[in-house]
């Protein structure tokens, strides 16, 4: 199987680059720049390498650098943003920084006749985000694109198949970015399109049937898409050696606990244990308001509940979790910044009572997880149900968590979901939910003064959850949702709609 290495220099779009490569049915894997040597790269047989962006300057001694020997491996390389500058720096070019040369956002780029731009018009729109730029390409390189402010927006040394672009072809704002990546993958690297999700399912089932043979396996089932797909995948591999533990921590959406129990216990015939642990979790979260602390408390308590169940079941060797790629990057990977700790990644305690943790979906994006679920025969309504974070409503209740606030949020969220479904908009937005803020404000009902919480509605449109646009829901739907929430739920007096995209925000509020 042909594969592309995405060499991670600390940018936040690194997973998106890998996802774009995989969408071309070519396998891509991400490795931190300081975790693999040029020799290791050659031994792994990569057909091409992509240097990612990053927040640093190549002249900063603390910034990520790499062995220039990589340029002479004979493997095609595409540098993006910081990766472009780093390539130029390693090859002896000149990088400069100037305020009047900074570019951020959509920019017109003019491209030359080059294999990287095969099939593209000579003028198009790209997405820039830089202050530094390549002032003088290295010896052997030529400039193949420019903008009004950036004289070298792209460069190449065709004899060594080395390419660099100052802009970001991986984001949708670069109109022909997908075609540029396609050209690099197939025309420059000569890859074959042989990465398919059917291959992943078959390979994963064989892998875990062998590696988990004879072991007792405990799976953390939240009922969300990720853990559900992991459960069915592992059940297919090891059958009754899998026991799923569903922890009802009191932080679930309305009627969710019963739905999960009925679906997996009855429909799939999977060994399922439901643990009612609401009081246990709320006691631990009492008085806690800081989001990262909430996530870490929930992550540790999940593990402790599983350990308690494992003791009752006897020796359990392996813990399985539904961790996916965006969870990993947002919890910090390599030199990337920690955005928020996911309960099943950054929230894990240092010591756990299992010999091994298995995360079968760790290398997949959300859409790939859904495709895997479809390949496994999981019903459409489950595969495409709303994403729900492992910490549950704990990260949608801002401030301290109480039973009262959870009940208010459950009802508000249920109303919002009902109105989205009633308007036939479920396929128009990828995730939608309500948030209970910690802000109270004055209202009036009849002739009486009220003083209640403010609820926020959130809906986003995305194809990978690494970036997201806020969904333009019809005003009538928002109006009806707001009216129902403030009239039907005593304790909420105001409703607002979140129109922030990702970045700069994340999808969840905490």
């Amino acid at each position: 199987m042909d594969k592309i290495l995405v060499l991670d220099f600390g940018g936040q779009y690194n997973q998106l680059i890998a996802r774009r490569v995989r969408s071309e049915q070519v396998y891509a894997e991400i490795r931190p720049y300081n975790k693999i040597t040029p020799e290791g790269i050659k031994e792994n047989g990569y057909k091409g390498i992509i240097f990612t962006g990053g927040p640093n300057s190549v002249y900063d001694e603390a910034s990520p650098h790499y062995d220039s020997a990589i340029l002479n491996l004979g493997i095609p390389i595409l540098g993006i943003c910081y990766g472009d500058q780093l390539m130029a720096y390693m090859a002896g070019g000149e990088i400069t920084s100037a305020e009047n040369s900074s570019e951020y956002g959509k920019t017109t780029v003019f491209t030359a006749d080059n294999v990287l731009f095969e099939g593209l018009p000579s003028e198009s729109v790209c997405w820039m985000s830089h202050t530094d730029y390549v002032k003088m390409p290295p010896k052997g390189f030529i400039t193949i694109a420019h903008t009004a402010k950036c004289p070298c927006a792209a460069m190449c040394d065709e004899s060594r198949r080395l390419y660099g672009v100052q802009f970001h072809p991986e984001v949708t704002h670069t109109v022909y970015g997908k075609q540029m990546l396609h050209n690099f993958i197939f025309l420059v690297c000569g890859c074959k399109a042989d990465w398919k999700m059917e291959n992943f399912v078959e390979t994963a089932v064989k892998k875990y049937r062998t590696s988990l043979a004879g072991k007792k396996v405990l799976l953390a089932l939240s009922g969300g898409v990720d853990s559900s797909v992991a459960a069915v995948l592992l059940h297919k591999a090891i059958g009754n050696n899998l026991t799923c533990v569903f922890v009802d921590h009191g932080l679930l959406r309305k009627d969710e606990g019963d739905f999960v129990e009925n679906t997996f216990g009855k429909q799939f015939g999977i060994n399922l244990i439901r643990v009612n642990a609401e009081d246990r979790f709320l006691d631990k979260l009492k008085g806690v308001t800081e989001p990262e602390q909430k996530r870490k408390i929930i992550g540790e308590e999940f593990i402790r509940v599983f350990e308690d169940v494992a003791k009752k079941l006897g020796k359990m060797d392996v813990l399985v979790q539904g961790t996916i790629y965006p969870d990993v990057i947002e919890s910090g990977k390599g030199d990337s910044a920690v955005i928020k700790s996911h309960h099943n990644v950054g929230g894990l305690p240092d010591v756990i009572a299992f010999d091994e943790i298995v995360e079968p979906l760790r290398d997949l994006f959300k859409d790939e997880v859904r495709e895997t679920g479809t390949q496994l025969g999981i019903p459409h309504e489950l595969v495409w149900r709303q994403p729900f974070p492992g910490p549950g409503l704990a990260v949608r209740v801002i401030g301290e968590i109480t039973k009262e606030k959870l009940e208010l949020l459950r009802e508000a969220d249920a109303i919002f979901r009902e109105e989205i479904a009633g308007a036939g908009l479920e396929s128009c937005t990828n995730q939608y939910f309500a948030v209970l803020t910690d802000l109270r404000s004055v209202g009036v009902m009849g002739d009486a003064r009220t003083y209640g919480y403010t609820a926020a509605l959130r809906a986003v449109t995305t194809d990978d959850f690494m970036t997201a646009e806020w969904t333009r829901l019809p005003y009538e739907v928002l109006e009806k949702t707001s009216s129902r929430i403030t009239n039907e739920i005593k304790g909420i007096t105001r409703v607002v709609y979140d129109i922030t995209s990702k970045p700069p925000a994340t999808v969840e509020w905490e």
Side-chain angles (χ1 to χ4, degrees):
M1 178 178 67
D2 289 346
K3 55 186 179 180
I4 297 288
L5 169 65
V6 178
L7 202 57
D8 182 355
F9 289 101
Q12 292 301 334
Y13 292 136
N14 303 342
Q15 309 297 325
L16 186 56
I17 296 171
R19 182 65 196 97
R20 296 294 183 240
V21 175
R22 290 190 195 179
S23 71
E24 299 287 344
Q25 295 189 327
V26 174
Y27 185 71
E29 65 183 27
I30 298 171
R31 299 288 293 273
Y33 75 96
N34 54 357
K35 301 295 184 182
I36 188 169
T37 63
E39 294 76 17
I41 291 173
K42 191 152 185 126
E43 289 170 3
N44 273 279
Y46 296 108
K47 295 281 286 185
I49 304 166
I50 297 178
F51 289 176
T52 74
N56 306 91
S57 168
V58 293
Y59 291 121
D60 182 352
E61 292 184 3
S63 66
H65 285 76
Y66 200 77
D67 189 337
S68 61
I70 192 173
L71 302 180
N72 299 314
L73 292 177
I75 302 173
I77 301 174
L78 173 64
I80 295 175
C81 197
Y82 176 83
D84 167 55
Q85 297 164 18
L86 181 63
M87 179 188 292
Y89 176 80
M90 289 192 298
E94 183 181 349
I95 315 301
T96 190
S97 176
E99 287 187 10
N100 60 4
S101 296
S102 300
E103 292 175 298
Y104 297 94
K106 293 181 180 179
T107 305
T108 300
V109 62
F110 303 91
T111 55
D113 184 15
N114 185 271
V115 65
L116 194 64
F117 306 128
E118 182 78 28
L120 275 65
S122 60
E123 180 180 337
S124 62
V125 173
C126 69
W127 183 261
M128 285 284 197
S129 181
H130 71 98
T131 298
D132 291 0
Y133 69 96
V134 178
K135 182 178 181 180
M136 182 68 68
K139 184 179 179 180
F141 284 75
I142 60 171
T143 296
I144 55 175
H146 70 276
T147 70
K149 289 186 176 182
C150 186
C152 183
M155 64 178 189
C156 78
D157 179 342
E158 289 190 317
S159 65
R160 291 195 288 171
R161 295 184 295 171
L162 304 178
Y163 297 81
V165 294
Q166 181 58 66
F167 49 85
H168 289 269
E170 72 274 21
V171 303
T172 56
H173 302 299
T174 297
V175 177
Y176 294 99
K178 182 178 179 181
Q179 184 62 43
M180 295 176 198
L181 291 172
H182 175 92
N183 291 342
F184 176 72
I185 294 164
F186 295 106
L187 302 184
V188 177
C189 300
C191 290
K192 297 187 293 293
D194 53 9
W195 161 249
K196 296 178 176 62
M197 292 313 301
E198 296 95 318
N199 297 344
F200 171 80
V201 171
E202 180 181 352
T203 301
V205 169
K206 286 181 180 178
K207 172 185 175 181
Y208 293 116
R209 186 170 286 156
T210 300
S211 65
L212 299 179
K215 297 180 180 179
K216 294 296 182 181
V217 180
L218 197 63
L219 183 142
L221 179 66
S222 70
V225 176
D226 305 333
S227 64
S228 298
V229 172
V232 177
L233 180 69
L234 265 294
H235 185 253
K236 186 177 179 69
I238 62 174
N240 289 332
N241 281 338
L242 173 70
T243 298
C244 291
V245 176
F246 169 50
V247 177
D248 188 344
H249 47 21
L251 304 169
L252 298 171
R253 291 172 289 199
K254 189 175 182 179
D255 300 327
E256 187 130 41
D258 293 340
F259 172 80
V260 171
E261 186 174 16
N262 291 333
T263 300
F264 289 91
K266 296 179 180 178
Q267 184 172 345
F268 289 109
I270 294 174
N271 294 330
L272 177 68
I273 298 173
R274 179 176 178 176
V275 181
N276 294 308
E278 179 182 27
D279 291 341
R280 179 170 174 168
F281 276 82
L282 292 185
D283 284 346
K284 291 282 186 180
L285 291 166
K286 188 174 182 179
V288 177
T289 59
E290 205 280 318
E292 275 295 283
Q293 191 178 359
K294 286 181 186 179
R295 288 177 174 272
K296 290 183 182 297
I297 287 171
I298 291 167
E300 177 162 357
E301 201 59 23
F302 261 115
I303 296 297
R304 300 310 172 209
V305 171
F306 296 138
E307 288 176 342
D308 291 345
V309 173
K311 289 175 184 175
K312 295 176 182 177
L313 293 173
K315 173 63 175 173
M316 301 298 289
D317 307 296
V318 180
L319 173 65
V320 177
Q321 299 188 129
T323 308
I324 66 173
Y325 235 164
D327 296 342
V328 175
I329 188 61
E330 291 192 340
S331 294
K333 182 178 183 291
D335 278 8
S336 299
V338 174
I339 299 171
K340 57 186 179 183
S341 293
H342 288 259
H343 76 284
N344 52 354
V345 186
L348 286 176
D350 294 330
V351 180
I352 59 175
F354 295 92
D355 297 334
E356 183 181 356
I357 291 180
V358 169
E359 297 168 320
L361 310 178
R362 187 182 178 90
D363 293 331
L364 302 186
F365 291 91
K366 179 68 76 173
D367 58 326
E368 292 176 321
V369 173
R370 294 191 196 279
E371 189 176 342
T372 299
T374 300
Q375 293 291 334
L376 289 166
I378 300 175
H380 181 273
E381 59 270 21
L382 181 56
V383 172
W384 288 95
R385 67 192 299 249
Q386 278 290 293
F388 191 58
L393 299 182
V395 294
R396 294 179 182 173
V397 171
I398 310 303
E400 184 178 6
I401 300 165
T402 66
K403 282 189 178 184
E404 174 202 5
K405 291 167 77 173
L406 287 168
E407 285 305 315
L408 292 176
L409 179 55
R410 280 193 189 94
E411 294 302 323
D413 183 73
I415 288 172
F416 188 32
R417 289 187 286 125
E418 286 171 12
E419 291 304 323
I420 291 287
L425 297 172
E426 290 172 299
S427 62
C428 298
T429 178
N430 299 100
Q431 188 171 0
Y432 47 94
F433 54 88
V435 173
L436 189 71
T437 75
D438 205 26
L439 175 67
R440 292 196 184 200
S441 61
V442 175
V444 59
M445 290 187 177
D447 294 323
R449 176 186 184 276
T450 58
Y451 190 65
Y453 287 101
T454 298
L457 306 179
R458 177 80 159 141
V460 298
T461 304
T462 177
D463 61 355
D464 50 45
F465 285 89
M466 294 305 298
T467 60
E469 292 282 342
W470 65 276
T471 305
R472 277 66 171 172
L473 293 177
Y475 290 152
E476 313 84 71
V477 174
L478 293 173
E479 181 182 26
K480 188 175 179 183
T481 302
S482 174
S483 178
R484 283 193 59 193
I485 288 174
T486 53
N487 280 279
E488 296 177 24
I489 305 174
K490 186 178 180 180
I492 297 179
T493 56
R494 195 177 298 268
V495 177
V496 298
Y497 187 50
D498 182 352
I499 60 169
T500 318
S501 293
K502 173 185 180 179
T506 54
V507 174
E508 297 290 343
W509 273 41
E510 290 191 345

